[in-house]
């Protein structure tokens, strides 16, 4: 199975049939699950397992339709393949999505049933927390399967991965500043952070402590108030975050916020944040950013702290080794910028090429 990069050209095309969506991204396996008793309904996508078992969080979301859910899980699992590969860890890419039904209770039976479905894949997919799930949920899932990470510390896990993710994003962001100015100091730099949830809030802390002037937006009033209470930040309207006169835009909420409309509005010279799949169409918007002279830190490269933390649980890595893998994000981001410059290709493409190269080499060595 190949993960060749020309898939980038087709990846944004929505097809009306399942295989039409699955084939262009080269997934190994897609499992649809449905449990009448608990109302659990969802999809697990296993993109690639050449480097190791696929790992990725379980997201629960109010999808408008089933095709949106499939599209989400396919894109996210593919991103996990690249994330683990470029981070130098021996994991493949997978993801689970659960189609939320507001009438259904997310009780113990619901999550245990999910655990059973994960277990039926015999370790080919390892789950973890993601949007809408938590370490507490994982402590229920682990009663049905050992193929689970992101467990609470009280259950032998490493707990909430967000602080380590935020640290990696901060390092990636500093590498961007280094690339453009020759120094990675953030003193006086203006940063617009979209989304101040688990990762965004901690990132704001790092930024403020480094002397940056931070602008924040969120649609959740409680999260906004918490960050404004803890740090000297300027709160802006969610829709005005793209118009701020800042050096850096840091998307830490949703994917696809870097698109034709927002790129035209952005005044920054750097985009670096935690959200997955920031480019709405990676075959198009990577080039738009390159042409416009905006330096883009590929999200799967700089937000890898969370998956590195999960890897620590799978392989019982020491904290030192885990930290070393996260610290590498800084130098690897600079490597990607060099590659992008020398080959005159978008940074996203340079990062995907490097990730694919490692997978292809592993395949050759295995053969
Ligand atoms: P979170 O749910 O804790 O925080 C997201 C925040 O974004 C929330 O406060 C939400 O209200 C806000 N938000 C949603 N829509 C918004 C909008 N239109 N404008 C402004 N704010 C908006 O999630 P998180 O764990 O902090 O993760 C943030 C992003 O980083 C997600 O895309 C996630 O997939 C990605 N990510 C997280 C981790 C991790 O370790 N938590 C790891 C890798 C990637």
């Amino acid at each position: 199975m190949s993960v060749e990069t020309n898939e980038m050209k087709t990846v944004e095309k929505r097809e009306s049939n399942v295989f039409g969506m699955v084939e262009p991204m080269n997934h190994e396996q897609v499992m649809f699950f449905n449990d009448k008793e608990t109302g659990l309904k969802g999809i697990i996508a296993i993109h690639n397992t050449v480097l190791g078992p696929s790992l990725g969080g379980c997201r629960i979301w109010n999808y408008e339709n089933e095709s949106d859910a499939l599209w989400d899980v396919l894109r996210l699992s593919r991103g996990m393949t690249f994330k683990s590969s470029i981070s130098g860890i021996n994991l493949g890419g997978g993801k689970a999505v659960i189609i939320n039904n507001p009438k259904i209770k997310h009780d113990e039976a619901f999550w245990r049933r999910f655990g059973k479905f994960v277990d039926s894949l015999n370790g080919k997919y390892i789950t973890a927390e993601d949007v809408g799930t938590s370490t507490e949920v994982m402590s229920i899932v682990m009663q049905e399967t050992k193929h689970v990470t992101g467990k609470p510390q009280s259950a032998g896990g490493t707990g909430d991965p967000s602080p380590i993710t935020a640290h990696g994003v901060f390092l990636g962001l500093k590498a961007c500043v280094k690339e453009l100015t020759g120094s990675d100091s953030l003193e006086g730099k203006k940063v617009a952070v979209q989304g101040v949830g688990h990762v965004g809030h901690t990132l704001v802390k790092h930024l403020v402590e480094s002397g940056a002037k931070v602008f924040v937006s969120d649609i959740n009033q409680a999260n906004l108030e918490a960050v404004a209470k803890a740090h000297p930040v300027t709160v802006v309207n969610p829709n005005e975050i793209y118009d701020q006169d800042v050096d850096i835009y840091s998307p830490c909420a949703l994917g696809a916020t870097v698109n034709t409309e927002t790129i035209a509005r952005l005044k920054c010279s750097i985009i670096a944040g935690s959200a997955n799949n920031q480019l709405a169409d990676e075959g198009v918007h990577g080039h738009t950013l390159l042409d416009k002279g905006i330096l883009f830190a590929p999200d799967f490269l700089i937000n890898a702290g969370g998956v590195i933390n999960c890897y620590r649980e799978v392989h019982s890595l020491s904290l030192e080794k885990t930290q070393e893998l996260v610290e590498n994000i800084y130098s690897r981001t600079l490597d990607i910028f060099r590659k992008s410059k020398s080959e005159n290709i978008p940074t996203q493409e340079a990062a995907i090429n490097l990730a694919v190269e490692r997978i292809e080499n592993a395949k050759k060595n295995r053969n």
Side-chain angles (χ1 to χ4, degrees):
M1 204 202 73
S2 154
V3 282
E4 73 276 7
T5 55
N6 63 12
E7 71 192 60
M8 289 171 59
K9 299 190 185 82
T10 51
V11 80
E12 283 302 322
K13 271 197 193 150
R14 308 279 306 249
E15 303 284 344
S16 55
N17 61 72
V18 171
F19 278 101
M21 286 170 76
V22 171
E23 275 169 11
M25 287 196 257
N26 284 318
H27 280 71
E28 287 180 14
Q29 189 176 350
V30 180
M31 178 173 97
F32 293 80
F33 52 87
N34 178 49
D35 182 58
K36 216 172 173 183
E37 255 172 57
T38 58
L40 173 69
K41 192 189 247 190
I43 314 168
I44 293 175
I46 297 172
H47 180 250
N48 188 282
T49 58
V50 171
L51 295 175
S54 71
L55 189 147
C58 169
R59 170 172 296 192
I60 183 157
W61 193 252
N62 294 318
Y63 291 103
E64 270 184 29
N65 52 57
E66 290 163 10
S67 153
D68 280 0
L70 177 59
W71 184 244
D72 203 29
V73 78
L74 292 176
R75 288 233 310 166
L76 289 165
S77 53
R78 173 178 175 267
M80 291 308 296
T81 296
F82 298 148
K83 195 182 294 197
S84 288
S85 175
I86 206 160
S87 305
I89 60 180
N90 293 328
L91 289 174
K95 201 88 183 179
V97 298
I98 293 176
I99 299 166
N100 193 32
N101 176 347
K103 292 187 199 128
I104 300 287
K105 265 199 304 188
H106 302 156
D107 55 9
E108 183 176 340
F110 181 91
W111 290 117
R112 284 185 91 124
R113 192 69 191 96
F114 172 69
K116 277 205 168 86
F117 283 123
V118 171
D119 204 57
S120 71
L121 290 163
N122 293 317
K124 206 174 168 193
Y125 167 68
I126 303 170
T127 197
E129 67 191 271
D130 195 70
V131 177
T133 53
S134 61
T135 50
E136 288 68 35
V137 164
M138 293 307 133
S139 68
I140 303 174
V141 173
M142 67 184 273
Q143 294 177 48
E144 297 293 345
T145 181
K146 60 178 190 223
H147 307 298
V148 51
T149 56
K151 294 168 287 194
Q153 282 169 337
S154 57
T158 54
D160 178 11
S162 308
I164 203 156
T165 301
H167 181 57
V169 172
F170 178 64
L171 294 171
L173 196 144
K174 275 172 85 73
C176 293
V177 176
K178 170 88 177 164
E179 176 70 13
L180 291 193
T181 68
S183 151
D184 65 11
S185 167
L186 286 165
E187 190 68 50
K189 292 275 175 293
K190 288 188 263 172
V191 189
V193 180
Q194 180 188 48
V196 284
H198 289 98
V199 180
H201 189 131
T202 310
L203 179 66
V204 167
K205 176 176 177 286
H206 290 310
L207 293 169
V208 168
E209 284 171 0
S210 307
K213 188 166 170 14
V214 182
F215 300 76
V216 297
S217 76
D218 203 298
I219 51 168
N220 178 318
Q221 203 53 30
N223 287 353
L224 213 46
E225 278 167 19
V227 82
K229 199 170 164 204
H231 306 288
V233 293
T234 305
V235 173
V236 302
N237 196 296
N239 191 39
E240 287 164 14
I241 196 80
Y242 307 108
D243 306 312
Q244 300 305 308
D245 191 6
V246 293
D247 303 291
I248 303 161
Y249 164 55
S250 183
C252 295
L254 307 170
T257 65
V258 182
N259 53 49
T260 306
E261 189 235 316
T262 58
I263 294 173
R265 289 164 64 185
L266 288 171
K267 300 184 175 83
C268 61
S269 52
I270 291 170
I271 299 175
S274 74
N276 285 312
N277 298 328
Q278 288 165 28
L279 301 182
D281 183 339
E282 64 187 18
V284 172
H285 297 121
H287 287 279
T288 318
L289 293 176
L290 189 66
D291 295 344
K292 213 178 160 190
I294 297 179
L295 187 62
F296 176 66
D299 43 73
F300 65 83
L301 167 64
I302 71 167
N303 73 10
V307 75
I308 293 170
N309 207 44
C310 291
Y311 187 61
R312 178 182 166 203
E313 272 185 49
V314 176
H315 287 281
S316 307
L317 287 194
S318 66
L319 182 60
E320 291 69 36
K321 181 66 196 166
T322 311
Q323 278 165 344
E324 188 189 313
L325 285 166
V326 176
E327 295 295 324
N328 285 345
I329 289 175
Y330 181 88
S331 56
R332 199 162 294 119
T333 306
L334 289 172
D335 288 345
I336 289 301
F337 294 156
R338 265 189 294 276
K339 191 172 162 62
S340 154
K341 247 198 230 157
S342 71
E343 297 174 22
N344 194 26
I345 54 172
T347 53
Q348 175 87 352
E349 197 173 325
I352 290 178
N353 290 353
L354 198 72
V356 170
E357 202 175 288
R358 182 169 169 237
I359 296 168
E360 295 298 331
N361 284 341
K363 227 161 51 173
K364 260 186 238 149
N365 292 340
R366 201 176 54 183
N367 291 339

